[in-house]
Amino acid sequence: MTTATAPFSPETGRSHMQESLFSWLEAEPAAPTPPPADPAPLPPAPALPDDAPRTLHESDPAGPLPPPVEEKKPDLSHVWVVAAEIEVTPKIASVADYRGSFKASEGQRVDALEVYCKGCRRPYDEVRGDDCSAKIDNTHLIGGDQTKRAKRKVPTPPPNARLIPGGTINRRGIGAYVAGVSRPKR
C-alpha cells in the first residue's frame, strides 16, 4: 500500500483534507421571510383629569409590569454552640473517647462552660446583636489584615559575639534523604 505525501504549508495545514468531509453540514440558504404584520392599533385610552390617580393599567399601555424580584439577603446570623461539661459513666467515657460522640440520657443536666458562635468563635455576650463576622469577612480569624502585619524581627547577636559561617545543608533531593535531613538518623 502506498500513500501520497504532499508538503503542507503552515497556513493550510491539514484542514483542506477535512473540508470535503463536512460539506454536507453547511446550511442551505433560507427563503426570505415576509416582514411581520403591524399589530392592530389599540383604542385610545379615556382622558383623565391631571389630578386623578392613575392605576398601572391606565398609565402603561403595554400592560402591567411584573412584580419586583426580591433580592435574597445573605443570612448573616450567628450559629450558637455551647461548650458543655457532662458527667458520664466509665463505659460512656470509653465510647466517647473511641467514637468522638455519645448519647446522653434523657433529663440529664448539662453545665454550659461557654456559649459562642460556631463561625466567628466569639462569645455570646460580645456579639449578641451583631452580624456574624465570619460570614462577612474572615480576617479576624487569621489575625487581621496580613498586609499591615509587623514583619518578624531578626534577633541581634550580643555585642561580644562573633559570627562563624557554617556549611550549607542540603534539604532537597535524594542527597537530603540519604543524609538524614528528611528522615531520622538510625
Side-chain angles (χ1 to χ4, degrees), residues 86-88 92 102-110:
I86 302 172
E87 189 174 325
V88 294
I92 293 176
F102 67 96
K103 291 185 179 182
S105 60
E106 183 179 345
Q108 185 176 12
R109 183 163 179 85
V110 178

Side-chain angles (χ1 to χ4, degrees), residues 113-165:
L113 300 176
E114 186 180 7
V115 179
Y116 60 94
C117 176
K118 188 175 184 180
C120 64
R121 306 252 184 212
R122 291 188 174 161
Y124 178 79
D125 296 341
E126 290 181 13
V127 292
R128 176 179 21 216
D130 302 335
D131 292 335
C132 181
S133 57
K135 294 180 180 178
I136 299 169
D137 186 17
N138 244 352
T139 55
H140 72 283
L141 291 177
I142 58 172
D145 187 8
Q146 298 295 307
T147 60
K148 297 178 183 173
R149 211 167 193 191
K151 301 294 180 191
R152 288 190 179 133
K153 296 178 182 176
V154 178
T156 56
N160 59 353
R162 193 175 78 175
L163 294 178
I164 302 171

Side-chain angles (χ1 to χ4, degrees), residues 36-68:
D38 291 335
L42 295 173
L48 292 174
D50 290 333
D51 59 343
R54 296 180 184 268
T55 63
L56 183 63
H57 298 287
E58 294 169 348
S59 63
D60 186 14
L65 295 174

Side-chain angles (χ1 to χ4, degrees), residues 73-88:
K73 294 183 179 178
D75 181 24
L76 300 177
S77 61
H78 292 278
V79 178
W80 299 112
V81 293
V82 176
E85 190 174 273
I86 302 172
E87 189 174 325
V88 294

